[in-house]
Structure formats: C-alpha cells, structure tokens
Amino acid sequence: PIGDDVISFTGTYDGNGFTIEKLTIDRSDENEVGLFGHMERDGIIQDVTLVNASVSGSINTGGIVGESKGELLNSKYNGNVASGSVVGGLIGRNDEGRVYGSVAEGSIIGDRNVAGGLVGRNTGEVQNSVASSSVEGGDSNIGGLVGINSEGEIGNSEATGDVTGGSEVGGLVGQNEAGTVNSSTAKGTVEGNNRVGGLV
C-alpha cells in the first residue's frame, strides 16, 4: 500500500480515466490496507478505477484507502474486500475525510465488526456516492453503505446490496452515532439478530 501511519500519503493522485485491473493485496495480518494505506488531510485521490480487485487486511481495510483523512473523489472500486474489522468497499476508516461521487461494488466481508459497502467507520462526509456491494459481518455495526456513522454526514447516497450481520445491522447504516443522514436510500435485503433496520 502507498503510505502508512508513519509516512502518510499527502499528495494528489489523479487516475486520469485509466483503469487498474486485477490488483491483489493479501495482508491479513496488517492494518491500514488498500491501494493507499493511510492518507493525511491534505491528500487527494480522484478519478481512480479498480476492476476485479481483491484486498484483505486486519483492521482499517478498504479497496482504495485503508484510513483516510483527505478526499476521495469520483472513484470506483469493483471487487472483494475482506478484513477482521473496520472494512469498506472504498475506505476502511474515513477519519474526518470526504468521499464524493464514488462507487463501490462487489463483496465486503468483516470477520468481526464494522463493515460497510462504501465505508466501514465514518466520522467525515460521504456525498453523492453508491454502494452496490453485498456486505457480511460477523458481529456488529454492519451497513450497506456505512458500518458506523459516528458524528459524520451522509447525503444523496444509496446502498443497493444485501446486508447480513449480528447486531446493529442496517440497509444503509449499521449504527448512526450522533451523525446525520439526508436524502439517502437503501434497497437490499437486511438480515441480523438484534437491532436490524431497513435504513439504520
């Protein structure tokens, strides 16, 4: 992965309309795993497309960014993402960062908790984005778009994949913890054992 918690990615990466095919990252014993491991607040990733990809990590795992404090714009991930916890199709942990106009599709699996079709844990902003990923979590905070939205903001976004988990399972958000959700929808089937909702 490009960047980690010691030397984070701080620049601008523009995919420029090209496609990265069949990327495989298998680091199931490591944290902050994705095409980019860790992006700081002044980092920008835009117009990046990954197709038929496979990414696996331990904690904070995403198809494009493991942990993001910056901006992810107009990007797409197609493939599988697996992690122990805090996993998302695009970003594992969106730490006061911004996601705009982006798409995730495929299969998201979290062995323990916090799994989302687009973002695992969101304390930032998710706007105008779509997750059509199936999401499966072993424990809690499992959502079609975001696993847990903790004081974050979600707007004009959609989740269409099926969601399965233990508790705090939602078609859009697994658990909304003092966050805001506006003009967003969920269409998939939702299954869980406790605190299950079509949206949240």
Side-chain angles (χ1 to χ4, degrees):
I2 302 168
D4 56 28
D5 58 355
V6 177
I7 303 176
S8 302
F9 177 74
T10 59
T12 297
Y13 184 91
D14 189 336
N16 198 27
F18 288 94
T19 297
I20 300 171
E21 295 188 19
K22 299 181 180 179
L23 172 73
T24 299
I25 300 175
D26 185 2
R27 300 191 175 215
S28 56
D29 294 329
E30 297 183 21
N31 300 336
E32 298 186 349
V33 177
L35 175 63
F36 293 81
H38 190 282
M39 178 167 62
E40 272 299 336
R41 284 178 169 79
D42 52 353
I44 299 172
I45 299 170
Q46 61 189 25
D47 297 317
V48 172
T49 299
L50 280 75
V51 175
N52 294 327
S54 178
V55 175
S56 62
S58 178
I59 301 173
N60 295 338
T61 304
I64 297 182
V65 189
E67 180 172 348
S68 175
K69 298 180 180 180
E71 292 188 283
L72 179 62
L73 312 173
N74 304 317
S75 295
K76 179 180 179 180
Y77 180 87
N78 168 275
N80 304 319
V81 186
S83 184
S85 62
V86 195
V87 55
L90 291 181
I91 298 173
R93 181 186 182 96
N94 188 38
D95 187 4
E96 298 184 0
R98 180 172 180 254
V99 181
Y100 183 87
S102 296
V103 176
E105 55 188 31
S107 173
I108 311 303
I109 297 176
D111 290 339
R112 297 187 295 278
N113 55 15
V114 190
L118 199 79
V119 175
R121 183 180 185 91
N122 180 53
T123 60
E125 182 181 355
V126 176
Q127 296 285 345
N128 296 81
S129 296
V130 177
S132 57
S133 311
S134 63
V135 184
E136 181 180 346
D139 194 359
S140 60
N141 300 325
I142 315 301
L145 188 79
V146 173
I148 180 168
N149 186 42
S150 182
E151 299 184 5
E153 181 180 346
I154 297 170
N156 299 307
S157 296
E158 181 180 46
T160 64
D162 296 337
V163 185
T164 304
S167 62
E168 286 89 37
V169 184
L172 191 74
V173 177
Q175 181 178 179
N176 190 43
E177 196 174 62
T180 60
V181 180
N182 297 306
S183 304
S184 298
T185 60
K187 297 180 179 178
T189 300
V190 183
E191 296 182 9
N193 299 322
N194 186 37
R195 298 179 184 174
V196 180
L199 282 174
V200 180

